[in-house]
Amino acid sequence: MKKFMVSFFAMCTLMLCAALNPAQGASYPDKPITLMTAFNAGGGSDVSHRLLEKYAKGIFAQPLVIIYKPGAGGEIGWTWLSQAKPDGYTIGGIDLPHIVLQPMLRAAGQPGYQTDQLNPICNLVYDANVVMVPEKSPWKTFADLINHAKANPGKVKVATVGKLTGDHIFLLQIEKLTGAKFNQVPYAGSGKAIPALQSGEVDAYFGSGSSFLRMENTRGLAIGSADKYELCPDVPTLRELGYDIVSGKYRGIASPVGIPKEASDYLQAKFAEICANPEYQKAVKSSGLMPDFRDAKGLADIIQAEERQVREILKGIDLKSAK
């Protein structure tokens, strides 16, 4: 009887410990992982995430479940992500330079995330920015567009994916170095900006190369890559045209700050495995994006570099006009 009672109490102790520590002994992940997209369906971020969802099968132990939190150039989604439970089951796509530009220019006291509230997991792809117009546009070259805009300040309507985004800083760079002034028309993601360009609602679109490559009847006048861009070899770089402008978007994955190390290590390793898959890389290029995997430290370095570049670009620019 005594032996039975000792065993009984030992079993009860184990059961109590398990109840108090339900995660103990469970391996991460033991349920689906939510992947937040901060823009509307159909844009470059969504395309990137849908490829992750597809190629994660057989690599991730649980499915990636994509949700959308669009608005304010991604700011709504990133604010939501920064406030999510840091348990490793909520992650989100981040775009640069958006995530350094928005907090930098946000009015004091206005609610929203801070860049350091987004914990870097890895970078996935690079997406060079393109100056694009409809094929029927009278502007055949970048010089044609700039000359017309300088002669008609504020008259040329240019689509972007929102104020304080990579598209916006691209527009500001072009205005600063050319002296032209445009009328920015912000949209909630490229899924909205693309039809605006194709319908003639705007005259041009300063946006992602992935958007340009998905569109028909569109002419690229210049691209922001540092060198000839593999996916758009016929579009001249802005540097070739005499303007020292390098502009594009890094698209990566982040989590709320404070997720368990086990989860962070797992996510980084599994995304690295996906990104090393030749079939995934081929699919990424086919979607208009360039594979560019960086680990957590590599993405953190990109964030710091983008912050320095944005501050340099904004020197001498009226910040009120950038909002």
Side-chain angles (χ1 to χ4, degrees), residues 61-115:
Q62 295 286 336
L64 293 178
V65 179
I66 296 174
I67 64 169
Y68 299 91
K69 298 286 182 180
E75 191 161 9
I76 289 175
W78 295 320
T79 298
W80 177 87
L81 179 62
S82 72
Q83 298 169 356
K85 185 177 180 180
D87 58 3
Y89 289 98
T90 302
I91 58 176
I94 55 171
D95 285 26
L96 288 149
H98 307 42
I99 66 161
V100 299
L101 182 62
Q102 290 169 351
M104 191 183 298
L105 297 185
R106 189 185 300 126
Q110 189 176 4
Y113 72 96
Q114 295 298 319
T115 306

Side-chain angles (χ1 to χ4, degrees), residues 1-79:
M1 175 66 72
K2 184 177 179 182
K3 189 173 183 180
F4 170 78
M5 292 300 292
V6 171
S7 299
F8 175 76
F9 283 119
M11 181 176 68
C12 289
T13 301
L14 289 173
M15 291 175 65
L16 179 61
C17 288
L20 293 175
N21 298 283
Q24 189 173 22
S27 60
Y28 172 89
D30 61 2
K31 62 181 181 179
I33 298 168
T34 297
L35 172 56
M36 185 277 300
T37 302
F39 295 94
N40 282 309
S45 295
D46 184 40
V47 170
S48 176
H49 295 170
R50 288 298 173 184
L51 287 174
L52 289 177
E53 177 188 43
K54 176 181 178 180
Y55 286 92
K57 295 171 183 176
I59 293 178
F60 272 70
Q62 295 286 336
L64 293 178
V65 179
I66 296 174
I67 64 169
Y68 299 91
K69 298 286 182 180
E75 191 161 9
I76 289 175
W78 295 320
T79 298

